[in-house]
Amino acid sequence: MRSRLTTFVTAGFLLLGTGGAMALNGGASLGLGGHAGQSASFAQYRPVETPVPPVTTPPTTGPPASTPPVPTPPVPAPPASKFIPSAAATVSAHGVATIRCLATCHIVLRARRGSHRVHVTVTLHANGTTTVSLSKSELRKLGRGPVVVSIYVDGKVIATRKVKVT
């Protein structure tokens, strides 16, 4: 009988532990924190309450404070897909291109027939007009038949034409 009682008390003590035993003790005596009238769980898990002083705003006697000027955001540039070069171009029936640029521009004349491709690159440094054509050796690389000629100014296609090479 005595061993059963000892087993029961030991099991209860192990289940509750020291903190649980102190919490069950309640506030009858002074606990480890020195708080009379409160249980260990109340003192351990409840935050300390501090009074919040009321906020008072001082009266304003002068003019209202002005806000600093807000800088205007920069004007967004259009995306590169909307870029329109300031050039005019025409392609003749023989594959000769005439390009007029208002400022410095980089001109590429590309021709393709099937898997064959050739190109000529010219840079126009001032406001003016230039004529670009393929050489005889480049035309021989393409062979006979229909050729697609495209003119690129600053990376954008501004003219395309299908011509027949003889």
Side-chain angles (χ1 to χ4, degrees), residues 117-137:
R117 290 174 165 69
V118 293
H119 71 275
V120 176
T121 304
V122 176
T123 301
L124 189 59
H125 293 288
N127 183 8
T129 303
T130 187
T131 302
V132 182
S133 64
L134 296 172
S135 67
K136 288 183 180 181
S137 64

Side-chain angles (χ1 to χ4, degrees), residues 90-102:
T90 58
V91 180
S92 71
H94 302 290
V96 177
T98 304
I99 300 110
R100 182 177 53 87
C101 290
L102 300 177

Side-chain angles (χ1 to χ4, degrees), residues 104-150:
T104 302
C105 59
H106 184 73
I107 302 164
V108 178
L109 175 94
R110 291 185 181 161
R112 65 180 168 84
R113 184 181 154 278
S115 63
H116 303 288
R117 290 174 165 69
V118 293
H119 71 275
V120 176
T121 304
V122 176
T123 301
L124 189 59
H125 293 288
N127 183 8
T129 303
T130 187
T131 302
V132 182
S133 64
L134 296 172
S135 67
K136 288 183 180 181
S137 64
E138 290 168 335
L139 289 173
R140 268 187 256 126
K141 288 179 188 176
L142 292 173
R144 293 181 178 216
V147 174
V148 177
V149 178
S150 301

